[in-house]
Amino acid sequence: MAQESPKNSAAEIPVTSNGQLEDSHEHSFNRDLKRSLPVGLGLSETKITSHGFDSTKEGVIEAGPFPGSSASPKSAVISPSSAAASRLAGQGCDLIIPTGGRAQQKSGPVVLADEVKNPAIEKLELVRKWSLNTYKCTRQIISEKLGRGSRTVDLELEAQIDILRDNKKKYENILKLAQMLSTQLFQMVHTQRQLGDAFADLSLKSLELHEEFGYNADTQKLLAKNGETLLGAINFFIASVNTLVNKTIEDTLLTVKQYESARIEYDAYRTDLEELNLGPRDANTLPKIEQSQQLFQLHKEKYDKMRNDVSIKLKFLEENKVKVLHNQLVLFHNAIAAYFAGNQKQLEQTLKQFHIKLKTPGADAPSWLEEQ
Protein backbone atom coordinates (compact mmCIF):
# COMPACT_ATOMS: atom_id res chain seq x y z
CA MET A 1 0.00 0.00 0.00
CA ALA A 2 1.37 3.37 -0.96
CA GLN A 3 2.43 5.70 1.82
CA GLU A 4 1.49 9.36 1.65
CA SER A 5 4.32 11.90 1.76
CA PRO A 6 3.96 15.61 2.45
CA LYS A 7 2.58 17.39 -0.57
CA ASN A 8 4.90 19.51 -2.64
CA SER A 9 3.88 22.57 -4.59
CA ALA A 10 5.35 21.08 -7.80
CA ALA A 11 3.37 17.80 -8.19
CA GLU A 12 1.94 14.78 -6.42
CA ILE A 13 3.18 11.45 -7.79
CA PRO A 14 1.24 8.30 -6.83
CA VAL A 15 3.41 5.21 -6.31
CA THR A 16 2.34 1.53 -6.49
CA SER A 17 3.26 -1.19 -4.06
CA ASN A 18 6.34 -2.22 -6.00
CA GLY A 19 7.69 1.34 -6.08
CA GLN A 20 6.93 2.02 -9.81
CA LEU A 21 4.96 4.93 -11.17
CA GLU A 22 1.35 4.33 -12.23
CA ASP A 23 0.86 4.33 -15.95
CA SER A 24 -2.19 6.49 -15.61
CA HIS A 25 -0.19 9.41 -14.31
CA GLU A 26 3.09 8.81 -16.13
CA HIS A 27 2.18 10.68 -19.30
CA SER A 28 0.85 13.73 -17.44
CA PHE A 29 3.99 13.93 -15.23
CA ASN A 30 6.30 13.62 -18.21
CA ARG A 31 4.35 16.28 -20.03
CA ASP A 32 4.68 18.72 -17.08
CA LEU A 33 8.37 17.95 -16.71
CA LYS A 34 8.95 18.48 -20.43
CA ARG A 35 7.40 21.92 -20.19
CA SER A 36 9.67 22.89 -17.28
CA LEU A 37 12.89 21.76 -19.00
CA PRO A 38 14.74 23.90 -21.53
CA VAL A 39 14.13 23.47 -25.20
CA GLY A 40 16.24 20.74 -26.77
CA LEU A 41 16.29 18.38 -23.77
CA GLY A 42 13.78 15.51 -23.95
CA LEU A 43 12.48 13.20 -21.37
CA SER A 44 14.40 10.36 -22.98
CA GLU A 45 17.65 12.10 -22.06
CA THR A 46 17.12 12.30 -18.32
CA LYS A 47 16.32 10.25 -15.29
CA ILE A 48 15.14 11.47 -11.90
CA THR A 49 16.94 10.75 -8.68
CA SER A 50 14.55 11.23 -5.81
CA HIS A 51 15.77 12.19 -2.35
CA GLY A 52 12.29 12.47 -0.95
CA PHE A 53 9.99 15.44 -1.26
CA ASP A 54 10.13 16.08 2.46
CA SER A 55 13.89 16.63 2.33
CA THR A 56 15.49 20.06 2.40
CA LYS A 57 18.09 19.01 -0.18
CA GLU A 58 17.92 20.26 -3.72
CA GLY A 59 16.36 18.13 -6.46
CA VAL A 60 18.92 16.96 -9.05
CA ILE A 61 18.23 15.95 -12.62
CA GLU A 62 21.05 13.64 -13.68
CA ALA A 63 22.06 13.14 -17.27
CA GLY A 64 21.72 9.68 -18.68
CA PRO A 65 19.47 7.54 -20.83
CA PHE A 66 15.97 7.03 -19.61
CA PRO A 67 15.09 3.36 -19.15
CA GLY A 68 14.00 2.07 -22.48
CA SER A 69 15.78 4.77 -24.48
CA SER A 70 18.93 4.31 -26.58
CA ALA A 71 19.83 8.05 -26.77
CA SER A 72 23.35 9.04 -25.78
CA PRO A 73 23.81 11.01 -22.51
CA LYS A 74 24.13 14.75 -22.68
CA SER A 75 25.28 17.44 -20.30
CA ALA A 76 23.67 17.80 -16.90
CA VAL A 77 21.20 20.50 -16.00
CA ILE A 78 21.10 21.71 -12.39
CA SER A 79 17.69 22.88 -11.24
CA PRO A 80 18.04 24.42 -7.79
CA SER A 81 15.27 24.25 -5.27
CA SER A 82 13.76 27.21 -3.47
CA ALA A 83 16.34 26.92 -0.65
CA ALA A 84 19.24 26.94 -3.09
CA ALA A 85 17.68 29.82 -5.01
CA SER A 86 17.44 31.88 -1.82
CA ARG A 87 21.13 31.21 -1.07
CA LEU A 88 22.17 32.23 -4.56
CA ALA A 89 20.09 35.38 -4.33
CA GLY A 90 21.77 36.23 -1.02
CA GLN A 91 25.18 35.89 -2.64
CA GLY A 92 24.30 38.36 -5.38
CA CYS A 93 24.67 35.80 -8.21
CA ASP A 94 22.17 35.00 -10.97
CA LEU A 95 21.61 31.59 -12.57
CA ILE A 96 21.25 31.76 -16.32
CA ILE A 97 20.39 28.66 -18.33
CA PRO A 98 20.80 29.58 -22.00
CA THR A 99 19.49 27.57 -24.93
CA GLY A 100 21.56 24.44 -25.21
CA GLY A 101 21.13 23.27 -21.63
CA ARG A 102 24.47 24.50 -20.10
CA ALA A 103 24.29 26.42 -16.85
CA GLN A 104 26.34 29.64 -16.47
CA GLN A 105 26.80 31.93 -13.51
CA LYS A 106 26.84 35.68 -13.93
CA SER A 107 28.70 37.59 -11.29
CA GLY A 108 26.82 40.17 -9.28
CA PRO A 109 27.63 43.88 -8.84
CA VAL A 110 31.32 44.68 -8.22
CA VAL A 111 32.31 47.50 -5.83
CA LEU A 112 35.57 49.20 -6.80
CA ALA A 113 37.84 50.39 -3.98
CA ASP A 114 39.21 53.90 -3.89
CA GLU A 115 42.16 54.41 -6.16
CA VAL A 116 45.47 54.30 -4.33
CA LYS A 117 47.65 57.34 -4.92
CA ASN A 118 50.66 56.65 -7.02
CA PRO A 119 53.94 57.64 -5.26
CA ALA A 120 55.44 58.59 -8.60
CA ILE A 121 52.64 61.10 -9.19
CA GLU A 122 53.15 62.61 -5.73
CA LYS A 123 56.89 63.00 -6.34
CA LEU A 124 56.19 64.55 -9.72
CA GLU A 125 53.83 67.04 -8.08
CA LEU A 126 56.49 67.95 -5.48
CA VAL A 127 59.08 68.47 -8.23
CA ARG A 128 56.62 70.65 -10.12
CA LYS A 129 55.96 72.85 -7.09
CA TRP A 130 59.68 73.10 -6.31
CA SER A 131 60.48 74.05 -9.91
CA LEU A 132 57.78 76.71 -9.95
CA ASN A 133 58.97 78.18 -6.65
CA THR A 134 62.61 78.16 -7.83
CA TYR A 135 61.65 79.89 -11.05
CA LYS A 136 59.77 82.65 -9.22
CA CYS A 137 62.61 83.23 -6.74
CA THR A 138 65.26 83.27 -9.47
CA ARG A 139 63.25 85.77 -11.47
CA GLN A 140 62.91 87.95 -8.36
CA ILE A 141 66.68 87.87 -7.67
CA ILE A 142 67.53 88.77 -11.26
CA SER A 143 64.99 91.58 -11.25
CA GLU A 144 66.49 93.02 -8.05
CA LYS A 145 70.05 92.87 -9.40
CA LEU A 146 69.00 94.55 -12.64
CA GLY A 147 67.14 97.24 -10.69
CA ARG A 148 63.75 96.39 -12.18
CA GLY A 149 62.08 94.64 -9.27
CA SER A 150 61.17 95.99 -5.83
CA ARG A 151 62.26 94.39 -2.57
CA THR A 152 61.01 94.56 0.99
CA VAL A 153 63.55 96.22 3.31
CA ASP A 154 63.56 96.46 7.09
CA LEU A 155 66.09 99.26 7.59
CA GLU A 156 66.69 98.68 11.29
CA LEU A 157 67.08 94.93 10.94
CA GLU A 158 69.28 95.21 7.85
CA ALA A 159 71.60 97.62 9.70
CA GLN A 160 71.98 95.18 12.59
CA ILE A 161 72.77 92.34 10.20
CA ASP A 162 75.44 94.40 8.42
CA ILE A 163 77.06 95.28 11.75
CA LEU A 164 77.04 91.62 12.77
CA ARG A 165 78.76 90.53 9.57
CA ASP A 166 81.36 93.26 9.87
CA ASN A 167 82.06 92.36 13.50
CA LYS A 168 82.40 88.70 12.58
CA LYS A 169 85.19 89.54 10.12
CA LYS A 170 86.99 91.59 12.77
CA TYR A 171 86.63 88.88 15.41
CA GLU A 172 87.97 86.32 12.95
CA ASN A 173 91.03 88.54 12.42
CA ILE A 174 91.60 88.80 16.20
CA LEU A 175 91.22 85.03 16.49
CA LYS A 176 93.76 84.47 13.73
CA LEU A 177 96.33 86.81 15.38
CA ALA A 178 95.78 85.24 18.81
CA GLN A 179 96.39 81.79 17.35
CA MET A 180 99.57 83.05 15.72
CA LEU A 181 100.72 84.53 19.06
CA SER A 182 99.97 81.24 20.80
CA THR A 183 102.03 79.30 18.23
CA GLN A 184 104.98 81.68 18.56
CA LEU A 185 104.78 81.70 22.34
CA PHE A 186 104.74 77.90 22.39
CA GLN A 187 107.88 77.79 20.26
CA MET A 188 109.56 80.36 22.51
CA VAL A 189 108.66 78.44 25.67
CA HIS A 190 109.95 75.23 24.12
CA THR A 191 113.22 76.98 23.21
CA GLN A 192 113.57 78.48 26.70
CA ARG A 193 113.07 75.08 28.29
CA GLN A 194 115.74 73.53 26.06
CA LEU A 195 118.07 76.46 26.77
CA GLY A 196 117.56 76.08 30.51
CA ASP A 197 118.38 72.36 30.30
CA ALA A 198 121.56 73.16 28.36
CA PHE A 199 122.65 75.75 30.97
CA ALA A 200 121.98 73.28 33.79
CA ASP A 201 124.10 70.63 32.06
CA LEU A 202 127.00 73.02 31.57
CA SER A 203 126.70 74.17 35.18
CA LEU A 204 127.46 70.62 36.31
CA LYS A 205 130.34 70.12 33.89
CA SER A 206 132.03 73.56 34.17
CA LEU A 207 133.19 74.09 37.75
CA GLU A 208 134.64 77.52 37.06
CA LEU A 209 131.30 78.73 35.56
CA HIS A 210 129.02 76.72 37.76
CA GLU A 211 127.20 79.68 39.32
CA GLU A 212 126.82 81.67 36.07
CA PHE A 213 125.36 78.73 34.17
CA GLY A 214 123.15 77.94 37.14
CA TYR A 215 121.67 81.47 37.25
CA ASN A 216 120.84 81.39 33.54
CA ALA A 217 119.36 77.91 33.83
CA ASP A 218 117.04 79.03 36.64
CA THR A 219 116.02 82.16 34.74
CA GLN A 220 115.15 80.29 31.53
CA LYS A 221 113.21 77.65 33.43
CA LEU A 222 111.25 80.35 35.26
CA LEU A 223 110.51 82.12 31.97
CA ALA A 224 109.40 78.82 30.46
CA LYS A 225 107.10 78.18 33.41
CA ASN A 226 105.57 81.65 33.21
CA GLY A 227 105.27 81.23 29.44
CA GLU A 228 103.29 78.03 29.94
CA THR A 229 100.98 79.89 32.30
CA LEU A 230 100.49 82.70 29.79
CA LEU A 231 100.01 80.13 27.04
CA GLY A 232 97.18 78.57 29.03
CA ALA A 233 95.45 81.96 29.38
CA ILE A 234 95.85 82.75 25.66
CA ASN A 235 94.51 79.34 24.63
CA PHE A 236 91.50 79.82 26.89
CA PHE A 237 90.91 83.22 25.27
CA ILE A 238 91.17 81.63 21.80
CA ALA A 239 88.72 78.85 22.67
CA SER A 240 86.10 81.29 23.98
CA VAL A 241 86.38 83.66 21.00
CA ASN A 242 86.31 80.70 18.59
CA THR A 243 83.06 79.48 20.18
CA LEU A 244 81.57 82.96 19.91
CA VAL A 245 82.58 83.45 16.26
CA ASN A 246 82.18 80.00 14.72
CA LYS A 247 79.19 78.75 16.71
CA THR A 248 77.12 81.51 18.27
CA ILE A 249 77.50 84.13 15.53
CA GLU A 250 77.43 81.50 12.79
CA ASP A 251 74.16 80.11 14.13
CA THR A 252 72.65 83.59 14.06
CA LEU A 253 73.88 84.14 10.50
CA LEU A 254 72.28 80.85 9.48
CA THR A 255 68.96 82.19 10.72
CA VAL A 256 69.67 85.38 8.79
CA LYS A 257 70.12 83.35 5.59
CA GLN A 258 66.79 81.64 6.18
CA TYR A 259 65.23 85.05 6.74
CA GLU A 260 66.66 86.35 3.46
CA SER A 261 65.35 83.31 1.58
CA ALA A 262 61.90 83.86 3.09
CA ARG A 263 62.10 87.52 2.08
CA ILE A 264 62.90 86.62 -1.54
CA GLU A 265 59.98 84.15 -1.68
CA TYR A 266 57.67 86.74 -0.13
CA ASP A 267 58.66 89.39 -2.69
CA ALA A 268 58.40 86.89 -5.57
CA TYR A 269 54.82 85.91 -4.72
CA ARG A 270 53.96 89.54 -3.93
CA THR A 271 55.13 90.57 -7.40
CA ASP A 272 53.21 87.69 -8.97
CA LEU A 273 50.00 88.74 -7.18
CA GLU A 274 50.47 92.38 -8.21
CA GLU A 275 50.85 91.37 -11.86
CA LEU A 276 47.67 89.29 -11.74
CA ASN A 277 45.73 92.12 -10.09
CA LEU A 278 46.79 94.50 -12.86
CA GLY A 279 45.44 92.13 -15.54
CA PRO A 280 41.84 91.47 -16.56
CA ARG A 281 39.41 89.76 -14.19
CA ASP A 282 37.35 87.00 -15.79
CA ALA A 283 36.35 83.41 -15.13
CA ASN A 284 39.84 82.17 -16.06
CA THR A 285 41.91 84.65 -14.04
CA LEU A 286 39.84 84.79 -10.83
CA PRO A 287 40.85 81.27 -9.65
CA LYS A 288 44.49 82.11 -10.38
CA ILE A 289 44.23 85.35 -8.41
CA GLU A 290 42.64 83.54 -5.47
CA GLN A 291 45.35 80.87 -5.48
CA SER A 292 48.07 83.50 -5.75
CA GLN A 293 46.52 85.38 -2.81
CA GLN A 294 46.66 82.24 -0.67
CA LEU A 295 50.31 81.57 -1.57
CA PHE A 296 51.19 85.19 -0.90
CA GLN A 297 49.58 85.07 2.54
CA LEU A 298 51.40 81.83 3.36
CA HIS A 299 54.83 83.25 2.47
CA LYS A 300 54.03 86.53 4.24
CA GLU A 301 53.44 84.63 7.50
CA LYS A 302 56.71 82.76 6.99
CA TYR A 303 58.57 86.02 6.33
CA ASP A 304 57.14 87.68 9.45
CA LYS A 305 58.08 84.68 11.58
CA MET A 306 61.67 84.60 10.30
CA ARG A 307 62.04 88.35 10.81
CA ASN A 308 60.89 87.98 14.40
CA ASP A 309 63.33 85.06 14.96
CA VAL A 310 66.25 87.10 13.61
CA SER A 311 65.42 90.06 15.85
CA ILE A 312 65.32 87.84 18.95
CA LYS A 313 68.59 86.07 18.08
CA LEU A 314 70.37 89.34 17.39
CA LYS A 315 69.29 90.66 20.78
CA PHE A 316 70.47 87.56 22.66
CA LEU A 317 73.70 87.47 20.65
CA GLU A 318 74.53 91.05 21.58
CA GLU A 319 74.02 90.32 25.28
CA ASN A 320 76.09 87.13 25.12
CA LYS A 321 78.84 88.78 23.09
CA VAL A 322 79.29 91.63 25.57
CA LYS A 323 79.43 89.26 28.52
CA VAL A 324 81.89 86.81 26.90
CA LEU A 325 84.21 89.41 25.42
CA HIS A 326 84.29 91.44 28.63
CA ASN A 327 85.62 88.50 30.63
CA GLN A 328 88.02 87.33 27.93
CA LEU A 329 89.51 90.78 27.32
CA VAL A 330 90.11 91.25 31.07
CA LEU A 331 91.80 87.83 31.20
CA PHE A 332 94.00 88.56 28.19
CA HIS A 333 95.09 91.96 29.53
CA ASN A 334 95.90 90.79 33.07
CA ALA A 335 97.80 87.73 31.85
CA ILE A 336 99.95 89.65 29.33
CA ALA A 337 100.68 92.46 31.83
CA ALA A 338 101.65 90.06 34.63
CA TYR A 339 103.87 87.99 32.33
CA PHE A 340 105.91 90.84 30.92
CA ALA A 341 106.09 92.49 34.36
CA GLY A 342 107.59 89.30 35.71
CA ASN A 343 104.87 89.06 38.33
CA GLN A 344 104.48 85.33 38.62
CA LYS A 345 102.06 85.51 41.53
CA GLN A 346 99.72 87.87 39.67
CA LEU A 347 99.85 85.66 36.59
CA GLU A 348 98.86 82.58 38.57
CA GLN A 349 96.14 84.55 40.35
CA THR A 350 94.67 85.56 36.99
CA LEU A 351 94.31 81.93 35.95
CA LYS A 352 92.68 81.03 39.24
CA GLN A 353 90.24 83.91 38.82
CA PHE A 354 88.99 82.48 35.54
CA HIS A 355 89.16 78.85 36.72
CA ILE A 356 91.82 77.87 34.19
CA LYS A 357 93.73 74.68 34.88
CA LEU A 358 97.05 74.15 33.16
CA LYS A 359 97.81 70.78 31.67
CA THR A 360 100.80 69.03 33.09
CA PRO A 361 103.28 68.08 30.35
CA GLY A 362 102.68 64.46 29.41
CA ALA A 363 99.36 64.27 31.30
CA ASP A 364 97.45 63.37 28.15
CA ALA A 365 99.71 60.41 27.38
CA PRO A 366 98.43 57.13 28.85
CA SER A 367 100.62 55.22 31.29
CA TRP A 368 102.23 51.94 30.36
CA LEU A 369 99.66 50.15 32.54
CA GLU A 370 96.78 51.66 30.55
CA GLU A 371 98.40 50.64 27.29
CA GLN A 372 98.53 46.99 28.33
Side-chain angles (χ1 to χ4, degrees), residues 8-245:
N8 190 285
S9 59
E12 181 179 356
I13 305 174
V15 183
T16 60
S17 60
N18 59 0
Q20 296 181 354
L21 298 175
E22 289 186 358
D23 295 336
S24 60
H25 298 281
E26 180 179 352
H27 296 290
S28 61
F29 176 76
N30 289 340
R31 184 174 59 254
D32 294 338
L33 182 61
K34 184 175 182 180
R35 291 176 182 175
S36 63
L37 291 177
V39 179
L41 185 61
L43 289 174
S44 61
E45 300 173 349
T46 60
K47 64 179 179 179
I48 302 174
T49 302
S50 176
H51 297 283
F53 290 97
D54 57 346
S55 175
T56 57
K57 296 182 180 180
E58 295 82 10
V60 179
I61 302 177
E62 298 180 352
F66 191 80
S69 176
S70 60
S72 59
K74 294 188 178 180
S75 59
V77 177
I78 301 174
S79 178
S81 66
S82 60
S86 62
R87 288 200 301 269
L88 291 174
Q91 295 176 358
C93 299
D94 300 328
L95 183 66
I96 300 176
I97 306 178
T99 304
R102 181 167 296 180
Q104 295 182 357
Q105 287 187 355
K106 183 179 179 182
S107 60
V110 179
V111 180
L112 297 178
D114 295 338
E115 294 184 359
V116 181
K117 294 184 179 179
N118 193 347
I121 297 177
E122 293 181 355
K123 291 181 180 179
L124 186 61
E125 183 66 18
L126 291 176
V127 171
R128 188 188 68 82
K129 292 181 179 180
W130 175 83
S131 301
L132 183 61
N133 184 72
T134 304
Y135 165 73
K136 291 179 180 295
C137 294
T138 305
R139 185 183 62 177
Q140 178 66 25
I141 293 172
I142 295 175
S143 299
E144 291 178 3
K145 290 184 176 180
L146 295 177
R148 298 176 182 175
S150 60
R151 56 169 296 186
T152 304
V153 179
D154 189 332
L155 296 178
E156 182 179 358
L157 191 61
E158 293 290 339
Q160 294 178 1
I161 293 173
D162 291 339
I163 293 173
L164 175 62
R165 286 174 174 162
D166 185 60
N167 287 337
K168 184 175 183 291
K169 293 180 180 179
K170 295 178 179 179
Y171 296 155
E172 287 176 343
N173 185 43
I174 291 176
L175 184 61
K176 180 181 178 181
L177 294 174
Q179 290 172 344
M180 188 182 299
L181 177 62
S182 175
T183 302
Q184 294 172 352
L185 181 60
F186 175 79
Q187 293 175 353
M188 186 181 72
V189 169
H190 182 66
T191 303
Q192 288 175 339
R193 189 181 298 111
Q194 289 180 337
L195 187 59
D197 293 338
F199 284 148
D201 184 62
L202 290 173
S203 174
L204 296 175
K205 296 180 179 180
S206 301
L207 298 178
E208 64 279 4
L209 297 174
H210 172 73
E211 293 183 359
E212 288 78 0
F213 280 123
Y215 293 153
N216 282 277
D218 293 341
T219 302
Q220 293 301 321
K221 288 181 180 180
L222 180 60
L223 289 175
K225 182 180 178 181
N226 292 341
E228 291 175 355
T229 307
L230 176 63
L231 191 61
I234 293 177
N235 288 337
F236 185 78
F237 171 81
I238 290 173
S240 299
V241 175
N242 181 66
T243 302
L244 175 65
V245 173

Side-chain angles (χ1 to χ4, degrees), residues 158-349:
E158 293 290 339
Q160 294 178 1
I161 293 173
D162 291 339
I163 293 173
L164 175 62
R165 286 174 174 162
D166 185 60
N167 287 337
K168 184 175 183 291
K169 293 180 180 179
K170 295 178 179 179
Y171 296 155
E172 287 176 343
N173 185 43
I174 291 176
L175 184 61
K176 180 181 178 181
L177 294 174
Q179 290 172 344
M180 188 182 299
L181 177 62
S182 175
T183 302
Q184 294 172 352
L185 181 60
F186 175 79
Q187 293 175 353
M188 186 181 72
V189 169
H190 182 66
T191 303
Q192 288 175 339
R193 189 181 298 111
Q194 289 180 337
L195 187 59
D197 293 338
F199 284 148
D201 184 62
L202 290 173
S203 174
L204 296 175
K205 296 180 179 180
S206 301
L207 298 178
E208 64 279 4
L209 297 174
H210 172 73
E211 293 183 359
E212 288 78 0
F213 280 123
Y215 293 153
N216 282 277
D218 293 341
T219 302
Q220 293 301 321
K221 288 181 180 180
L222 180 60
L223 289 175
K225 182 180 178 181
N226 292 341
E228 291 175 355
T229 307
L230 176 63
L231 191 61
I234 293 177
N235 288 337
F236 185 78
F237 171 81
I238 290 173
S240 299
V241 175
N242 181 66
T243 302
L244 175 65
V245 173
N246 294 323
K247 290 187 178 180
T248 309
I249 295 180
E250 189 65 29
D251 179 71
T252 304
L253 289 177
L254 180 61
T255 307
V256 169
K257 290 179 181 178
Q258 295 174 354
Y259 157 74
E260 291 176 345
S261 298
R263 197 274 308 165
I264 292 174
E265 291 180 353
Y266 165 71
D267 284 337
Y269 284 92
R270 176 182 57 81
T271 303
D272 191 27
L273 179 61
E274 291 175 354
E275 292 177 355
L276 289 175
N277 287 329
L278 292 176
R281 291 176 174 268
D282 51 23
N284 294 328
T285 58
L286 284 178
K288 295 181 180 180
I289 294 175
E290 183 178 356
Q291 183 180 8
S292 180
Q293 179 66 35
Q294 293 176 356
L295 293 174
F296 165 75
Q297 187 64 30
L298 179 65
H299 286 86
K300 183 178 183 299
E301 293 175 358
K302 181 180 178 182
Y303 167 73
D304 293 337
K305 179 181 180 301
M306 293 307 304
R307 182 176 58 182
N308 186 45
D309 291 347
V310 170
S311 300
I312 293 174
K313 281 201 171 185
L314 286 174
K315 181 180 178 180
F316 286 151
L317 175 62
E318 186 65 23
E319 296 176 356
N320 188 30
K321 181 192 70 174
V322 171
K323 181 179 179 180
V324 170
L325 287 181
H326 171 75
N327 294 333
Q328 297 304 316
L329 290 173
V330 170
L331 165 67
F332 191 83
H333 171 268
N334 293 342
I336 292 290
Y339 172 78
F340 285 99
N343 192 342
Q344 181 181 0
K345 184 180 290 187
Q346 181 65 31
L347 184 60
E348 293 176 353
Q349 186 65 30

